[in-house]
């Protein structure tokens, strides 16, 4: 968890019980004035309605990769008993119950996936499919952390570095560019509500770069 001015950023794992508990604790005990979520409108609606979103204008390979990624996250979620995105749903429900305004700070998913469709390399596609299927079907391969908890900073940094090396295009589109987008969105909220306590909930691993971007913007 990081602080920047009147902003607190909580990094979560989308399938960890610990993350759901942390969201509940922060909102009920700290009572933030505003909550910002790593969601766009389409993903927000998917979580609230519990209906799948179908994305247009993707080539078939990227569409399949998107489905495989969603299936992998769902499969890992079954191991923890937590449906992917439960911590976001918890934040949404608590915000409504406590009448706390919600802000969606992520880049629209269709834009992200269109970029992925046009920029991902053939090598990255093949490697990603192999890695995902290995994770799902290789029962002997041990995941290096407890899925019920948010991974340690050391493990997150190691996974980020591995992703940078194996999937440079994917990392740029899914992580770097979205961090910049979310930092700009949060900067607008901070400037508009300088006296309000803001809680941002994002995936673990985004926090440091978002704060770095915020510091750069406000120099």
């Amino acid at each position: 968890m990081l602080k920047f001015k009147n902003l607190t950023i909580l990094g979560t794992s989308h399938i960890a019980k610990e993350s759901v508990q942390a969201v509940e604790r922060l909102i009920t005990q700290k009572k933030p004035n505003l909550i910002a979520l790593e969601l766009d409108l389409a993903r927000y609606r998917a979580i609230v309605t519990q209906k799948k979103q179908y994305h247009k204008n993707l080539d078939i390979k990227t569409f399949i990769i998107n489905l495989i990624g969603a299936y992998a996250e769902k499969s890992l979620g079954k191991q923890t008993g937590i449906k992917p995105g439960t911590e976001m749903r918890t934040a949404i429900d608590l915000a409504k119950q406590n009448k706390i305004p919600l802000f969606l700070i992520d880049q629209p998913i269709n834009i992200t996936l269109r970029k992925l469709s046009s920029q991902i390399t053939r090598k990255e596609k093949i490697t990603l499919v192999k890695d995902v299927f290995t994770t799902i079907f290789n029962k002997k391969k041990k995941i290096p952390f407890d899925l019920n908890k948010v991974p340690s900073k050391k493990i997150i940094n190691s996974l980020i570095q591995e992703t940078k090396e194996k999937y440079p295009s994917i990392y740029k589109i899914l992580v770097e560019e979205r961090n910049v987008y979310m930092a700009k969105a949060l900067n607008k909220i901070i400037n508009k509500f300088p006296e309000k306590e803001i809680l941002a909930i994002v995936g673990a691993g985004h926090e440091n770069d978002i704060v770095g971007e915020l510091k750069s913007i406000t120099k």
Side-chain angles (χ1 to χ4, degrees):
M1 190 162 58
L2 296 178
K3 290 279 293 182
F4 177 79
K5 294 186 177 181
N6 56 325
L7 170 69
T8 298
I9 304 180
L10 174 68
T12 68
S13 167
H14 301 314
I15 56 170
K17 293 178 182 177
E18 182 181 63
S19 291
V20 177
Q21 294 166 351
V23 167
E24 290 177 338
R25 183 172 62 253
L26 272 177
I27 295 176
T28 56
Q29 293 181 5
K30 301 295 184 181
K31 294 182 171 48
N33 303 119
L34 308 170
I35 297 175
L37 301 178
E38 182 200 336
L39 293 175
D40 69 322
L41 186 57
R43 288 164 60 210
Y44 170 85
R45 287 173 174 166
I47 288 175
V48 170
T49 63
Q50 297 187 11
K51 292 181 180 179
K52 293 181 180 179
Q53 297 290 307
Y54 295 96
H55 308 293
K56 300 177 181 179
N57 304 320
L58 300 182
D59 65 64
I60 187 64
K61 291 179 182 178
T62 308
F63 180 72
I64 291 171
I65 288 173
N66 182 49
L67 289 179
I68 292 172
Y71 178 75
E73 189 173 51
K74 185 176 180 181
S75 297
L76 292 173
K78 286 182 179 179
Q79 296 182 39
T80 65
I82 298 293
K83 187 176 180 179
T86 296
E87 92 283 20
M88 294 292 179
R89 179 59 189 262
T90 300
I92 292 167
D93 290 343
L94 287 173
K96 289 181 178 178
Q97 290 172 23
N98 293 280
K99 297 181 180 180
I100 302 172
L102 271 178
F103 291 83
L104 308 180
I105 60 171
D106 204 358
Q107 178 172 259
I109 186 68
N110 278 343
I111 292 176
T112 301
L113 291 177
R114 278 201 299 271
K115 288 182 178 181
L116 194 62
S117 174
S118 64
Q119 297 180 39
I120 187 173
T121 65
R122 175 180 173 81
K123 179 181 178 181
E124 287 173 300
K125 290 177 184 177
I126 294 170
T127 304
L128 178 62
V129 171
K130 286 181 179 178
D131 284 352
V132 169
F133 273 97
T134 298
T135 300
I136 295 172
F137 297 112
N138 186 354
K139 304 299 183 183
K140 295 180 181 180
K141 186 174 180 179
K142 187 177 180 181
I143 296 171
F145 54 88
D146 185 351
L147 289 173
N148 286 296
K149 298 180 179 180
V150 179
S152 68
K153 289 291 183 184
K154 182 178 179 180
I155 290 175
I156 289 173
N157 290 336
S158 175
L159 292 173
I160 287 174
Q161 186 58 38
E162 182 181 356
T163 303
K164 282 184 180 179
E165 293 172 359
K166 293 177 72 173
Y167 312 109
S169 298
I170 293 176
Y171 178 81
K172 177 176 177 288
I173 296 162
L174 296 186
V175 181
E176 283 185 348
E177 292 183 359
R178 288 176 58 231
N179 284 342
V180 172
Y181 188 99
M182 288 190 283
K184 288 179 178 178
L186 286 169
N187 187 53
K188 289 180 181 178
I189 299 170
I190 291 170
N191 289 335
K192 188 173 182 180
F193 304 101
E195 304 302 321
K196 302 289 187 179
E197 286 298 320
I198 305 163
L199 171 64
I201 301 170
V202 302
H206 287 288
E207 314 100 297
N208 286 335
D209 284 349
I210 287 176
V211 170
E213 287 293 334
L214 284 167
K215 289 178 179 178
S216 177
I217 292 169
T218 56
K219 277 184 179 178

